[in-house]
């Protein structure tokens, strides 16, 4: 019932007025700092308390509103949760990884493990047994209990509008603003779609929003430091941060947001001369514990659980070092026994020592025309494969202790020559050459143990080895650059003329098969937990930056996102399929985009006015000076926080080299929607700058109604995007979506 | 007329400044023509200087044209004719080349940096002693000397950046007067010049804008100034610091483009319209071509994408293999490819689907936007066709073929709609060279597109052409332009008639405006990636601070005389130290101020802050961006950042001396300060 909210607003703003006045008065006289802060101290608690009392007196509608938001949010997200009954889009990855947790199989993924662990847990609790293979999108689930995992994600996704509602309410103390935000998010088809499937995004956004909510609540407790609720919100912020980072590295952005906010807060405390240095140190320490140590501990715990749970060998082994692999049951290095010293005639695999370095590999394919000599490719490959096996051969009669030709299973010799390497032009190309072991002088490689003397034996697994080329004097080197498609996107191997010792030019012998020698058990390798942690992070970061767009995929650009340029196909392509298309409700997104611009303009106008000493409020309610400093305060301070949040979750994508997708924008979109709530609320309230009192109220109410109605109606129009469409595509006349393809780039 | 006596000339000459300037000129300019050989990057800049002398168009992705223009101006003064092959470092210059004049302008800029630093320190409100210290640090920095003495651009960049800051601060410090805005305009112009020399100048420009907007913000907050005055001042600042630099930046390109009017080695990168505007090259072919494409026109179609190579729509008497290597099937129809060389098989004829003739009627009926056409291959008479068969290399897209009826239930789908993407009106006609056209397949709405992928041996390694959904690719790979064009005539007689009746032969030279050329050149400069090469002397930004690497600039093969770029270790150490000290000091001051301890009076504090903004800020903006760059980096990239630190060190020393040590033995310290600065510099 709008009039009631309106009443509550009036109450709160009247209470605030004296304080606003006080603030203006003292900021003018910067020198009387002591006065300023004490005055602020006395007055500001009122500012914060009274609106709450105001809320309390108006409690029934606010509670009703909250219940309404919760109800609508859950019902829109959980509606048709089990449809379509087949694998959609990235469910094929994350569902599969959830199954890996249930089966305790080790895998590699570019994201930290928490999200997939939670998915696995949700599946486990709801009776999913981990047997569905999740091979490709479109596979029918049949009898498998997939709804539990989807439901879990949807429940977390349903919390987002609720959190947004509470955050905006807390920041602006305005039910109108909170209501606008909640409406935008509840009826956004994009937010609904992304919450309904087995994906990391709803989990990630849940933690992001939880962190922001706890941060805002914590800020509100600033006048009751070290109280129980103060601690509670601090700890909750820390926990949510750990959760966000534990799901995806995008969580770093919200950590940055909270970090900046905390620094700002500490700076404020430092300027408060009524606090002693001891108090400030206590504040600092509390934040260090709550926002740094606690999340770090939790984050490490997540990884510890990850490594404890996944103890069986699986598809991710090859990404990790030999030492790491020896932990995994079923891996050939687990409790391995093999001949201890390298010998001629052994079959071996050779692994690069750079983290995520890969095995020395070759296959039948030749280097293409124009890339050095047209001989067989030699690459580094991250997966275990029979093409990684090499045979050590002795060359002639030579007194040197260990010298050999390395011969591959495809019976070509490892060879290099004075042709430039495909990517690293200063290095030489490495090829496979010769037939069945007969080659030429360029096939000779000298084995050198790093830090060893001449005559030392080469130890399997434990020796760091370099391969020096006899004829040119270069060393075998893995550049870490990914070859183009002709090289199957494997990693380039070159021969480097620079003899500096780097892990890129060092290798170790991993598998070693020689029937003539006795096997010796090797249990030396057990790595320390911190080593595993570090290694897995480097592997993840490498993997992340190495995600390059696939050939037939649209590489989405960051500027596409705010304008809702193009969505993502979750399921189905043709008109006979059950199609789900991830696309934001265009009305909602375009309102968001417009209010971003509006926000910048309003802040610019308001801050110039403040700086010049104009008072917008004088015009407004003749008797009270500067009443809307509250509005501009909300706009600049609280809106600023949200704007910063949007910026932090959006701008970094411009600098990323990896492949980007539309759904990366959703965290930023949440911040944008919250900002829209505040901006439009302040804008509607500013109607009285133009019109006199009763008319401005009407304008305000009509504006709000039009806004809410247009969002609702657009949701009615676009809801098939989320809840599934069948039948002809939108450009055909008989389609349910006919006439709604407002942009050519939308694919429904 | 009486001469009034006494005739008095009063002049104030800062002898120290004069002396320092003379020393700077001496260190930078003496024996400038030694060595008489190409030194390091002269080999790179020299080729552009030669091209300027010959007025040949080129594209250089390393920076905007002003830097090259300045070097070329020096060459022009010395009468260099451009006839020198810049092929290797160490090659001897012939006697006809005036080496001295080639190197003069960078050396002058380098020398002028020294007095500029002196003046800049004064404008930062520090003493003459500090100013002398900064000037000496710069004067005796051997890396700067080396970098200034050759035909390189760093010293020019540093000069303009310092000039911009100096004139801005002079503007800020001068009380209101008309001359004041002269300084501001000079500042804006120097910013434009700095950006025009190297893109790195942008960061210094942004820093200056930041400082200026801070000052402007304070001005807005000053309630003592009337609204009108504030408005006027703000507008003046915007004009001087935003509008003037942008206009000047464009002006550099205007000079660049008006100087270079001959076609040259980089023509292929540019659009057909651009190429046609250059003398020689394409314009020789296209002169006198009919402007409007009509039914019956014979055309070659060039893909607008210049990646990986520019190429023309092509077909030849070979079919797609029945099965590809991976087992997929094809239509086994005639191949359509994109071919990077001029060839008779690049000719296509535009046909009206409703008629049979392949000649231009009289008067010619021009093809307009939205018309449906067929394209007939000139040599084989196959129709350009596309259908729901996966393309050879990009299986998600449709195959494009020259249609052959094998009676295997593959109907002809050879209608294409002409979509002029750069049209101004809806009914615009298709123009040679000027129009970017998309060919939309009528049956499937797919668009003809060059994918940039090479076909295997069966396709003779030519580039693949497919039909693809509109939004899946960069727009430029979808556009095609008619490059060569003639009205088709099958008989001798008709040929003459058609020639007579054809519309005006507009000279396309004048059709491309300066703005179009500017935008195209700027865009190409920013997007063309030259091959990233590792270099023996390349280094990473972190190595610069500790000066781990040097660069060998030149080596005489027989006498073993050498020139190396390496910094003065003492001054680098001092620079690093003062950077650290400033940050520490700033942190302590800030924290203490926040707690209510005012260590410094307000005037000194603002001086200290201003020092930090300009010097530490300047160092940050000239150093940090390199971490994000993927290009090959060298030690000399650090020199602009280093200059800011040399500016900082003496000023910080003075600050420490006057404000931190004032409680201890005041009388001895004047001497200490002097000693410190002098010993540092020597």
């Amino acid at each position: 019932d709008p009039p009631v909210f309106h009443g509550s607003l009036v109450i709160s703003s009247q209470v605030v007025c004296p304080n606003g006045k006080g603030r203006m008065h003292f900021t003018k006289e910067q020198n009387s700092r002591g006065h300023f802060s004490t005055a602020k101290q006395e007055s500001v608690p009122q500012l914060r308390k009274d609106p709450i009392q105001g809320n309390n007196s108006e409690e029934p509608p606010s509670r009703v509103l909250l219940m309404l938001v919760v109800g609508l949010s859950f019902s829109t997200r959980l509606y048709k949760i089990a449809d379509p009954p087949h694998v959609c889009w990235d469910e094929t990855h994350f569902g599969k990884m959830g199954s890996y947790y249930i089966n305790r199989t080790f895998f590699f993924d570019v994201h930290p493990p928490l999200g997939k662990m939670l998915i696995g847990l949700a599946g486990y609790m709801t009776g999913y047994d981990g047997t569905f293979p999740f091979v490709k999108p479109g596979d029918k689930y049949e009898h498998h209990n997939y709804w539990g995992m989807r439901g879990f994600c949807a429940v977390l996704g349903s919390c987002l509008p609720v959190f947004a509602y509470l955050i905006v309410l807390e920041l602006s103390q305005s039910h109108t603003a909170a209501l606008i935000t909640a409406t935008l998010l509840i009826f956004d088809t994009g937010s609904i779609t992304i919450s309904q499937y087995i994906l990391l995004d709803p989990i990630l956004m849940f933690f992001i929003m939880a962190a922001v909510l706890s941060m805002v609540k914590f800020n509100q407790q600033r006048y009751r430091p070290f109280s129980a609720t103060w601690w509670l919100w601090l700890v909750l912020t820390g926990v949510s941060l750990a959760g966000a980072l534990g799901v995806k590295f995008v969580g770093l952005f919200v950590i940055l947001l909270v970090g900046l906010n905390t620094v700002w807060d500490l700076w404020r405390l430092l300027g408060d001369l009524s606090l002693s240095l001891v108090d400030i140190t206590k504040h600092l320490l509390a934040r260090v514990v709550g926002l740094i140590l606690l999340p770090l501990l939790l984050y490490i715990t997540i990884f510890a659980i990850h490594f404890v749970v996944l103890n069986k060998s699986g598809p991710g082994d090859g990404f990790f070092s030999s030492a790491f692999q020896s932990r995994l049951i079923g891996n050939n290095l687990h409790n391995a026994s093999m001949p201890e010293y390298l010998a001629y005639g052994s079959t071996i695999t050779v692994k690069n020592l750079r983290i995520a370095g890969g095995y020395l590999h070759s296959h039948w394919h030749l280097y293409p025309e124009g890339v050095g000599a047209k001989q067989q490719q030699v690459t580094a490959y991250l997966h275990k494969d029979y093409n990684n096996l090499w045979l050590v051969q002795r060359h002639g009669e030579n007194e040197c202790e260990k010298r050999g030709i390395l011969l591959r299973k495809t019976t070509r010799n490892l060879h290099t020559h004075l042709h430039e390497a495909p990517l690293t032009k200063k290095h030489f190309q490495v090829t496979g050459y010769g037939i069945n072991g007969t080659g030429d002088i360029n096939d000779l490689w000298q084995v050198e143990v790093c830090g060893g003397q001449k005559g030392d034996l080469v130890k399997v697994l434990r020796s760091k080895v370099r391969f020096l080329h006899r004829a040119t004097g270069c060393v075998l080197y893995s550049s870490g650059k990914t070859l183009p498609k002709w090289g199957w996107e494997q990693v380039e191997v070159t021969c480097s003329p620079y003899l500096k010792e780097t892990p890129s030019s060092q290798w170790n012998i991993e598998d070693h098969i020689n029937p003539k020698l006795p096997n010796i058990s090797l249990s030396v390798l057990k790595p320390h937990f911190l080593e595993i942690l570090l290694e897995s992070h480097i592997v993840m970061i490498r993997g992340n930056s190495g995600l390059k767009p696939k050939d037939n995929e649209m590489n989405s650009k960051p500027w596409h996102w705010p304008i809702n340029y193009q969505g993502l196909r979750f399921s189905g392509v043709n008109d006979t399929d059950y199609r789900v298309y991830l696309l934001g409700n265009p009305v909602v997104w375009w309102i968001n985009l417009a209010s971003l611009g509006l926000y910048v303009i309003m802040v610019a106008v308001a801050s110039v006015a403040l700086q010049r000493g104009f008072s917008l409020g004088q015009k407004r309610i003749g008797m009270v000076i500067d009443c809307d400093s509250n509005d501009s305060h909300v706009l600049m301070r609280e809106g600023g926080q949200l704007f910063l949040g949007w910026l932090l979750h959006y701008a970094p994508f411009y600098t990323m080299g990896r492949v980007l997708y539309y759904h990366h924008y959703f965290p930023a979109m949440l911040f944008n929607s919250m900002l829209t709530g505040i901006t439009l609320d302040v804008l509607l309230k500013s109607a009285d700058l133009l019109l006199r009192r009763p008319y401005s109220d009407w304008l305000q109410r009509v504006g709000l109604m039009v806004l809410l109605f247009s969002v609702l109606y657009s949701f009615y129009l676009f809801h098939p995007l989320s809840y599934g469409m069948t039948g002809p595509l939108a450009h055909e006349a008989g389609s349910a979506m006919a006439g709604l393809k407002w942009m050519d780039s939308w694919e429904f | 007329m009486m001469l009034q006596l006494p005739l008095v000339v009063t002049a104030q000459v800062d002898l120290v400044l004069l002396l320092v300037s003379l020393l700077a000129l001496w260190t930078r300019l003496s024996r400038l023509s030694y060595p008489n050989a190409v030194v390091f990057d002269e080999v790179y800049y020299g080729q552009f200087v030669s091209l300027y002398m010959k007025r040949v168009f080129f594209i250089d992705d390393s920076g905007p044209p002003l830097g090259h223009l300045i070097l070329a101006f020096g060459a022009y003064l010395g009468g260099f004719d451009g006839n020198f092959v810049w092929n290797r470092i160490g090659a001897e210059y012939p006697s006809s080349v005036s080496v001295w004049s080639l190197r003069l302008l960078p050396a002058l800029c380098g020398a002028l940096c020294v007095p500029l630093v002196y003046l800049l320190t004064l404008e930062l409100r520090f003493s003459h002693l500090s100013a002398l210290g900064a000037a000496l640090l710069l004067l005796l920095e051997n890396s700067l000397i080396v970098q200034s003495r050759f035909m390189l651009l760093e010293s020019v960049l540093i000069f303009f950046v310092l000039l911009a800051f100096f004139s801005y601060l002079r503007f800020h410090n001068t009380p209101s007067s008309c001359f004041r805005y002269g300084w501001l305009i000079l500042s804006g112009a120097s910013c434009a010049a700095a950006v025009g020399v190297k893109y790195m100048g942008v960061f210094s420009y942004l820093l200056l804008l930041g400082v200026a907007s801070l000052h402007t913000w304070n001005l807005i907050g000053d309630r003592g100034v009337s609204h009108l005055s504030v408005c006027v001042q703000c507008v003046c600042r915007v004009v001087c610091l935003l509008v003037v630099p942008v206009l000047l930046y464009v002006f550099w390109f205007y000079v660049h483009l008006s100087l270079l009017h001959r076609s040259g080695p980089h023509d292929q990168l540019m659009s057909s319209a651009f190429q046609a505007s250059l003398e020689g090259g394409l314009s020789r072919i296209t002169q006198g071509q009919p402007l409007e494409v009509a039914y019956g026109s014979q055309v070659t179609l060039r893909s607008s994408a210049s990646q990986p190579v520019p190429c023309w729509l092509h077909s030849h008497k070979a079919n797609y293999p029945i099965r590809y290597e991976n087992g997929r099937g094809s239509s086994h129809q005639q191949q359509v490819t994109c071919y990077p060389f001029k060839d008779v098989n690049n000719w296509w004829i535009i046909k009206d689907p409703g008629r049979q003739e392949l000649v231009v009627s009289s008067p010619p009926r021009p093809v307009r936007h939205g018309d449906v056409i067929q394209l007939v291959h000139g040599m084989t008479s196959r129709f350009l066709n596309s259908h729901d068969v996966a393309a050879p290399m990009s299986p998600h897209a449709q195959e494009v073929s020259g249609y052959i009826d094998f009676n295997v239930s593959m109907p002809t789908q050879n209608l294409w709609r002409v979509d002029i993407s750069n049209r101004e009106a809806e009914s615009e006609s298709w123009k040679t060279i000027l129009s970017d056209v998309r060919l939309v397949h009528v049956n499937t709405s797919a668009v003809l597109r060059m994918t940039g992928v090479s076909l295997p041996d069966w396709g003779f390694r030519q580039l693949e052409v497919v039909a693809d959904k509109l939004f899946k690719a960069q727009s430029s790979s979808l556009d095609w332009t008619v490059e060569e064009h003639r009205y088709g005539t099958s008989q001798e007689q008709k040929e003459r008639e058609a020639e007579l009746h054809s519309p005006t032969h507009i000279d396309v030279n004048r059709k491309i405006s300066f703005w179009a050329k500017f935008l195209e050149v700027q865009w190409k400069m920013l997007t063309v990636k030259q091959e990233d090469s590792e270099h023996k002397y390349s280094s990473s930004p972190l190595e610069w601070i500790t000066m781990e690497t040097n660069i060998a600039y030149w080596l005489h093969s027989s006498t073993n005389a050498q020139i190396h770029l390496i910094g003065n270790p003492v001054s680098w150490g001092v620079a690093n130290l003062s950077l650290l000290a400033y940050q520490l000091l700033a942190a302590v001051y800030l924290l203490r101020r926040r707690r209510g301890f005012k260590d410094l009076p307000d005037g000194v504090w603002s001086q200290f802050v201003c020092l930090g903004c300009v010097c530490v800020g300047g160092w940050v903006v000239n150093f940090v961006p390199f971490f994000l760059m993927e290009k090959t980096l060298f030690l000399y990239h650090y020199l602009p950042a280093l200059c800011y630190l040399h500016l900082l060190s003496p000023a910080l020393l003075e600050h420490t001396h006057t404000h931190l040590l004032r409680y201890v033995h005041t009388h001895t310290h004047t001497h200490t300060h002097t000693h410190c600065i002098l010993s540092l510099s020597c």
Side-chain angles (χ1 to χ4, degrees), chain A residues 267-268 270-273 275 280 424-426 551-552 554 566 607 610-614 747, chain B residues 217 219-223 225-227 230 393-394 396 471-472 531 534 590-591 594-596:
Chain A
W267 188 245
R268 183 186 58 80
L270 191 68
D272 185 351
L273 297 183
L275 290 178
I280 291 174
T424 318
K425 302 285 183 197
K426 296 272 161 174
D551 185 41
N552 55 349
M554 167 76 184
Q566 189 180 25
S607 46
L610 281 180
Q611 181 80 356
R612 257 333 266 173
F614 291 127
E747 305 153 302
Chain B
W217 189 242
L219 174 76
I220 292 175
D222 184 353
R223 315 259 162 102
V225 187
S226 72
H227 293 328
V230 166
M393 309 307 287
S394 318
H396 55 279
F471 39 77
K472 281 207 173 167
E531 191 149 297
E534 240 180 302
L590 265 178
L591 289 177
R594 191 70 188 163
R595 290 303 291 172

Side-chain angles (χ1 to χ4, degrees), chain A residues 158-172:
Chain A
S158 311
C159 296
L160 300 178
V162 183
F163 284 176
Y165 176 83
L166 292 174
I167 292 169
V168 174
L169 189 61
E170 199 61 63
L171 285 176
S172 67

Side-chain angles (χ1 to χ4, degrees), chain A residues 188-408:
Chain A
D188 175 43
T189 48
S191 306
I192 294 175
T193 313
I194 204 158
S195 304
Q196 283 195 315
Y197 299 91
I198 309 172
L199 299 174
L200 296 185
D201 300 82
I203 309 176
L204 170 74
M205 289 194 282
F206 172 82
F207 282 118
I208 289 178
M209 291 300 270
V212 176
L213 179 63
S214 342
M215 177 185 88
V216 169
K217 289 276 188 191
F218 173 71
N219 281 348
Q220 193 219 351
Q221 298 291 324
R222 70 175 75 152
Y223 303 106
R224 271 173 277 158
F226 304 109
S227 63
T229 40
W230 187 89
W231 278 110
L232 175 73
W233 289 118
L234 180 67
V235 167
L236 276 182
T237 314
V239 171
S240 319
L241 289 183
L245 188 62
V247 177
K248 271 189 179 187
F249 285 125
V250 173
L252 279 173
F253 301 146
V254 74
I255 291 184
L256 206 58
L257 179 67
V258 173
L260 287 176
N261 178 68
T262 310
V263 167
W264 178 249
D265 196 28
L266 283 171
W267 188 245
R268 183 186 58 80
L269 288 171
L270 191 68
D272 185 351
L273 297 183
S274 64
L275 290 178
S276 72
L277 277 178
V278 178
D279 291 335
I280 291 174
T281 319
K282 273 196 223 161
H283 272 285
L284 178 68
L285 284 181
R287 282 164 177 81
V288 167
V289 169
L291 299 180
I292 298 178
L293 295 182
L294 175 73
L296 203 63
L297 188 74
L298 287 175
Y299 183 71
I300 292 174
T301 315
I302 291 167
F303 271 87
I305 297 172
H306 173 73
F307 291 127
V308 169
V309 169
L310 302 182
N311 59 0
K312 290 185 204 155
S313 166
D317 294 8
F319 288 88
F320 292 88
S321 68
S322 314
F324 189 98
Q325 294 179 30
S326 68
R327 301 173 46 256
L328 300 170
I329 301 169
N331 189 290
N332 51 355
L333 295 177
H334 184 71
N335 295 330
S337 62
M338 55 179 71
E340 193 178 3
Y341 298 107
L342 182 64
Y344 296 113
S346 298
T347 307
I348 59 171
T349 60
V350 184
K351 190 166 191 357
N352 192 251
L353 277 182
R354 211 164 44 86
I355 290 173
Y359 299 96
L360 191 67
H361 178 96
S362 185
H363 37 230
W364 282 117
H365 306 274
L366 306 182
Y367 282 106
E369 192 125 359
V371 184
K374 211 174 163 187
Q375 296 171 3
Q376 188 166 304
Q377 294 172 16
V378 173
T379 63
Y381 186 48
L382 282 164
H383 298 275
K384 297 206 163 188
D385 185 293
Y386 282 113
N387 277 333
N388 298 341
L389 291 175
W390 299 79
L391 186 70
V392 185
Q393 271 192 350
R394 190 182 203 110
H395 172 67
E397 296 301 317
N398 228 319
E399 62 263 37
C400 247
E401 185 62 29
K402 295 287 171 195
R403 169 170 308 160
I405 306 167
L406 294 165
L407 182 79
R408 237 178 38 71

Side-chain angles (χ1 to χ4, degrees), chain B residues 348-406:
Chain B
W348 297 83
I349 303 167
I350 310 236
K351 180 178 170 294
D352 184 345
R355 300 185 183 204
Q356 287 305 314
E357 302 90 75
L358 289 179
V359 293
V360 176
S361 59
S362 75
R365 289 186 306 127
V367 183
R368 297 186 183 279
H369 170 74
D371 286 357
V372 173
I373 59 164
Q374 289 170 322
L375 279 168
V376 184
H377 187 237
M379 299 302 288
T380 61
S381 306
R382 303 273 183 233
F383 285 85
L384 187 74
N385 186 62
S386 179
H387 39 222
D388 193 16
V389 174
M393 309 307 287
S394 318
H396 55 279
Q398 283 178 195
E399 182 190 86
V400 173
S401 63
Y403 183 75
I404 308 168
D405 189 7
F406 284 130

